[in-house]
Amino acid sequence: MADRVKAGVAGTGFIGTAHVEALRRAGVDVVGLAEATPELCAQKAAELGIPKAFASFEAMIADPEIQAVHITTPNYLHYPQVKAALLAGKHVVCEKPLTMKSSEAEELVKLAAEKKLVNAVNHNIRFYPLAQQAHAMIKNGEIGSVYIIQGSYLQDWLLLDTDWNWRLEPELGGDMRAVADIGSHWLDLLTFIADLKIVEVCADFSTFLPIRKKPKKEMETFTGKIQTAAEYDEMPIRTEDYASVLLHFENGVRGVLTVSQVSAGRKNRLFYEISGSKSSLSWDSERPNELWIGERFGPNKVMLKDPSLVNPDVRQRISFPGGHNEGFPDTFKQLHTAIYRYIQAGDYSKPTDFPTFADGLRALQMVEAIGKSGREGGWVKVG
C-alpha cells in the first residue's frame, strides 16, 4: 500500500472545515492550512489540530510535503489558486464553481491534462448512495427510456433583508447566485444520474430583495440566521434570489428546475423526480436514505439505503449497514475516498469515477447559458 497522501486546504469556512473532516475520514493526512491572514490561519490550525499554518497560499503550495491541495476559498480566488497549484505540481480538488468564467475553466482543464495531475470539482451530492443507485438503475434500463426530469433546490438562509454573505457580491461570488451556488449542484447531479447532457435552456429570474443590509462586522456563512448586526450598510443586489429554468436534454428529454434561496422552512432541500417509460424515481435530500420508485402496474415502493439492496457496483459508496443513516458529511468522505484512491493507484490515464475539471467546465457552461437566457429571454444553447 502506498504511503498516505498529504493534503493542504485553502479556506476554513463552513465548507473548508467539511473538507478537513472528510479527508481525515478518508485516510488522508491534512498537514497544512492557508487562510486570508496568517493570524486567522494560526487560529484555525490550532482549532482543527493541523500542524502547519502557512503565512500564504503561495507558501503552502511551495511545501514539498503537500501532494494535493483543496481550494475552498471564495469563488473569485478559485481560478488563480487552482492555476498556481497545478503549476506547482499539486493535485487539485476545487469547490464549485471551478472558476467565474468558462473560458478560465477551459484553460484549467488543458493545464491539468498537460501536467498529468489529478483534478476534481467537489460536486459531492453525486455521492449520496441513493444518487449512485438511481444512476445505476437508469444505466441498466430499469425505468425504461427517460421522458421527464424535474425538480428544485430550495433554501431559506437569504430570506430576510438582514441576511448577508459574500456570495451576494458579484465581485466575489459571480454574476449569478442561486443558480450558480445551488442550481449548479442540481444540474450536475441530474446530468450524472441520467447520463444526459442539457443542450438548451430557457430561464426566468427574480430578485425579491433588491436592497439588503450588509453588516459592518463580517459573519461566517449561515450564522446570519442566529446573529443580528447592530450596524449595517444598505446594498443594492444584482444577483437572483430565484430562478425557474426549462430544460431540453439530449434525446428529446424535457425538464424543469426551480432554485430559490428565499423559501421559508427549506434549509437545504434538493428534490428531483425522473419519469421513465416503465417507472419513475424521486428523491429528496431532506430524506436522503429513501428512494421513491413509482409504478403504473404495481404498488409504489420506497427503497431504503442498504448495501444488501442496492446494485452491486453501488455498495462501495456505502459505509454503514441498512438502518444506519448516511448524510451530507458522508458524501464528502465518499467523494474524497474516490479521488485519493485514484491518486494512490497512480495510473492517471484510467477513467475517473468522480467529477473532474471537465465536469466543472460543463456546469459553468450550463450556468452561463441560463444566465444569458435570464437576461435576454428565450432559448439559449449550452456550450
Side-chain angles (χ1 to χ4, degrees):
M1 178 100 177
D3 292 338
R4 287 162 66 107
V5 179
K6 293 179 170 57
V9 176
T12 55
F14 162 60
I15 289 296
T17 304
H19 277 247
V20 172
E21 176 190 313
L23 284 165
R24 285 170 166 164
R25 293 177 67 198
V28 180
D29 292 329
V30 183
V31 299
L33 289 182
E35 254 296 354
T37 67
E39 295 77 17
L40 179 60
C41 192
Q43 174 194 331
K44 292 290 188 178
E47 290 174 1
L48 295 168
I50 294 172
K52 297 183 180 181
F54 291 96
S56 66
F57 178 79
E58 290 74 20
M60 184 172 74
I61 61 174
D63 188 323
E65 185 181 24
I66 290 176
Q67 299 154 273
V69 173
H70 286 239
I71 310 294
T72 71
T73 50
N75 299 352
Y76 76 100
L77 291 170
H78 291 184
Y79 167 70
Q81 289 183 338
V82 170
K83 184 174 181 180
L86 291 173
L87 291 172
K90 311 298 183 183
H91 307 299
V92 179
V93 180
C94 185
E95 265 301 324
K96 57 86 204 146
L98 177 57
T99 60
M100 301 265 271
K101 298 185 294 186
S102 61
S103 58
E104 294 174 337
E106 288 176 355
E107 180 185 344
L108 296 180
V109 169
K110 292 177 183 176
L111 180 60
E114 290 169 4
K115 295 291 183 179
K116 295 181 172 58
L117 291 166
V118 177
N119 55 93
V121 175
N122 202 67
H123 282 298
N124 60 293
I125 299 178
R126 289 190 188 191
F127 282 79
Y128 277 103
L130 293 178
Q132 300 280 320
Q133 173 66 13
H135 170 73
M137 291 175 70
I138 291 175
K139 182 179 178 181
N140 295 339
E142 294 177 47
I143 73 164
S145 300
V146 175
Y147 289 160
I148 305 162
I149 300 173
Q150 58 178 308
S152 60
Y153 202 150
L154 308 178
Q155 299 176 329
D156 72 358
W157 70 291
L158 293 173
L159 177 64
L160 307 178
D161 66 355
T162 52
D163 293 328
W164 189 265
N165 179 262
W166 59 262
R167 290 170 177 82
L168 291 158
E169 302 181 58
E171 297 78 11
L172 304 181
D175 293 334
M176 281 183 290
R177 179 183 13 111
V179 171
D181 186 30
I182 56 177
S184 59
H185 269 303
W186 191 98
L187 294 163
D188 177 80
L189 177 67
L190 272 299
T191 52
F192 162 72
I193 287 175
D195 196 20
L196 292 169
K197 290 182 179 179
I198 294 169
V199 297
E200 197 173 28
V201 298
C202 183
D204 175 49
F205 285 8
S206 186
T207 303
F208 299 109
L209 298 169
I211 302 293
R212 287 181 181 265
K213 297 171 182 177
K214 179 181 180 179
K216 292 183 182 292
K217 181 181 178 182
E218 185 175 350
M219 294 189 294
E220 289 191 9
T221 301
F222 299 119
T223 61
K225 292 191 290 186
I226 56 175
Q227 296 181 11
T228 301
E231 297 183 353
Y232 58 81
D233 295 316
E234 290 194 343
M235 302 290 289
I237 299 302
R238 293 170 283 157
T239 54
E240 79 284 358
D241 293 321
Y242 154 92
S244 278
V245 190
L246 293 173
L247 306 166
H248 286 174
F249 291 80
E250 297 174 299
N251 302 339
V253 176
R254 294 297 193 261
V256 61
L257 163 66
T258 294
V259 295
S260 164
Q261 293 177 317
V262 293
S263 293
R266 292 302 185 188
K267 307 308 175 187
N268 189 49
R269 194 240 194 184
L270 186 155
F271 168 82
Y272 70 78
E273 185 162 320
I274 302 171
S275 302
S277 59
K278 294 181 182 177
S279 56
S280 299
L281 299 175
S282 179
W283 183 83
D284 180 345
S285 69
E286 292 183 345
R287 304 178 68 91
N289 292 276
E290 301 176 6
L291 180 66
W292 180 86
I293 303 170
E295 302 290 354
R296 167 71 184 271
F297 297 108
N300 297 334
K301 296 173 283 189
V302 175
M303 180 182 191
L304 299 181
K305 188 272 307 178
D306 186 327
S308 69
L309 300 177
V310 300
N311 289 45
D313 55 347
V314 177
R315 288 175 189 149
Q316 65 174 326
R317 309 300 186 196
I318 301 177
S319 296
F320 300 99
H324 298 76
N325 288 339
E326 293 175 71
F328 184 76
D330 300 283
T331 65
F332 285 78
K333 183 193 75 171
Q334 296 293 355
L335 170 55
H336 296 168
T337 297
I339 294 167
Y340 283 86
R341 183 187 296 122
Y342 188 85
I343 290 174
Q344 287 198 299
D347 184 356
Y348 306 152
S349 65
K350 287 188 175 180
T352 61
D353 58 351
F354 52 85
T356 66
F357 284 4
D359 297 289
L361 169 59
R362 185 68 186 176
L364 279 164
Q365 290 171 335
M366 289 187 282
V367 168
E368 287 178 349
I370 291 168
K372 183 177 180 181
S373 176
R375 291 188 304 271
E376 301 176 4
W379 287 94
V380 174
K381 292 190 182 301
V382 176

